[in-house]
Amino acid sequence: MIHLKEAPVLDSESGPFDLISEAISDWNLDQKLLSLTSVGDIRSNERFSKLKDFLNQRKCLPIGVKLYNIACVDDVLNNIVSEEQPLLHVVGDILEKFIQAHMSSSLSQQQLIEVMKSMTLKCPHEDVKPWHKIYFALEVLVHFKKAFPSEELLSAKDTETVESVCNILRAFSHAVEVLSGPVCPTANIYFNELWIIRTTLEEEASTYHTELASMVWEMQEAFDEYWQNSYVWLSAPAVLDPRFKIAFIEFHLKQAFGTDAAKYVSMVRDTIWELLLEYCTAVDEPSVDQSNCDSCDVQVGGFYKDSLKDVR
């Protein structure tokens, strides 16, 4: 997978096409690509049609470049919870009021230090996105209220808002941490992490807090647009994971698409079938080195504690 995100690509006179085509040739990746992942401003670049033709002619991507030019998950998630998100402004105001009202005394400051020491969540770095810092502050506030309960600390309405937004940002934060961590993640884990975000948004959008539900609904709408365009490539690797398989995907796609789920499940099945047929054709060719097909032990990682809670 080629992950195209760096700014020099956009600034280059030759554009992204020449840079990527040269990289494919230099690194001998012609028959080793699954897809191309790119951020929004690059995905809309017209020169990518030229790159698509190039990759298709060289047969660099499987099943007729159907998995071509996939949106970068990290970019999508950060855009959904960008600085312009009204939800962040609401909790930002609550945090500011809390700091002004309760952090002026040395006693409150000492209590805050105690709470932060008891938390397992690491303090975010300076270069992280603003929403990461807001999420950390909300976690601190939630823990503070549990450790030192007081009606004067937060009103019932503000408490509901803080807890709801904290739940949402917790799901986003965990997904970004897993999918953008120092250890390169494999494609089979993407579906589950993003499903947690989807269900969290759905739950919080159903709150009786009308103003809050409206803002969450906007986030949900943006996420669902990405989900509609990406469910195939998210589902296919998960089907190949023995912990999930097709039944897992069928169960969740029925939740996501309701009565229309059958056609979406069929699309996933057809895509996997095409990949299989193409793979079998390649393996049947005499030039394939069978020594590289030996099985190996794979260690399976753990799950987020709520990953499979809705699967029966």
Side-chain angles (χ1 to χ4, degrees), residues 188 191-192 195 227 231-232 234-241 244-257 261 264-266 268-269 272 311:
N188 56 308
F191 183 99
N192 202 56
W195 183 260
W227 183 267
Y231 75 93
V232 172
L234 290 170
S235 300
V239 171
L240 301 178
D241 188 326
F244 297 132
K245 299 186 179 180
I246 190 65
F248 176 86
I249 297 301
E250 286 179 338
F251 174 80
H252 284 309
L253 291 186
K254 286 177 182 177
Q255 288 182 307
F257 300 114
Y264 293 99
V265 173
S266 178
V268 174
R269 286 182 179 274
I272 295 173
V311 179

Side-chain angles (χ1 to χ4, degrees), residues 21-35:
S21 60
E22 288 173 10
I24 291 173
S25 300
D26 292 346
W27 301 338
N28 192 28
L29 296 175
D30 293 38
Q31 304 301 319
K32 301 176 183 178
L33 297 178
L34 174 63
S35 61

Side-chain angles (χ1 to χ4, degrees), residues 50-205:
K50 185 180 179 183
L51 175 60
K52 183 177 181 179
D53 292 339
F54 168 80
L55 295 173
N56 195 25
Q57 291 170 5
R58 298 285 295 273
K59 296 183 179 180
C60 294
L61 292 171
I63 56 174
V65 297
K66 288 184 179 180
L67 298 178
Y68 167 82
N69 202 7
I70 295 168
C72 169
V73 178
D74 184 50
D75 182 57
V76 170
L77 296 184
N78 280 313
N79 284 338
I80 292 175
V81 284
S82 64
E83 294 180 62
E84 291 76 25
Q85 177 53 243
L87 208 63
L88 300 185
H89 292 291
V90 171
V91 292
D93 292 339
I94 295 175
L95 288 169
E96 186 176 352
K97 286 190 295 183
F98 167 74
I99 292 173
Q100 291 177 351
H102 300 280
M103 293 297 101
S104 56
S105 70
S106 58
L107 176 60
S108 295
Q109 292 176 13
Q110 183 60 39
Q111 290 173 334
L112 181 62
I113 293 173
E114 291 177 17
V115 168
M116 294 180 68
K117 285 182 178 179
S118 67
M119 293 173 57
T120 56
L121 193 66
K122 294 181 180 179
C123 186
H125 299 294
E126 284 297 320
D127 58 347
V128 299
K129 301 289 184 181
W131 70 265
H132 281 279
K133 298 177 182 179
I134 293 176
Y135 163 60
F136 179 79
L138 291 177
E139 287 282 18
V140 172
L141 181 51
V142 169
H143 282 74
F144 191 94
K145 184 169 175 59
K146 289 180 180 179
F148 306 100
S150 171
E151 291 295 330
E152 297 179 358
L153 183 62
L154 282 178
S155 66
K157 181 180 178 180
D158 285 349
T159 298
E160 179 191 356
T161 300
V162 166
E163 291 178 348
S164 180
V165 177
C166 193
N167 287 338
I168 293 171
L169 296 186
R170 186 182 296 122
F172 274 83
S173 178
H174 185 270
V176 170
E177 181 181 359
V178 171
L179 304 181
S180 304
V183 178
C184 186
T186 49
N188 56 308
I189 69 173
Y190 278 65
F191 183 99
N192 202 56
E193 294 300 325
L194 293 173
W195 183 260
I196 293 171
I197 292 178
R198 188 183 185 282
T199 53
T200 301
L201 288 173
E202 194 172 61
E203 290 170 1
E204 299 302 335

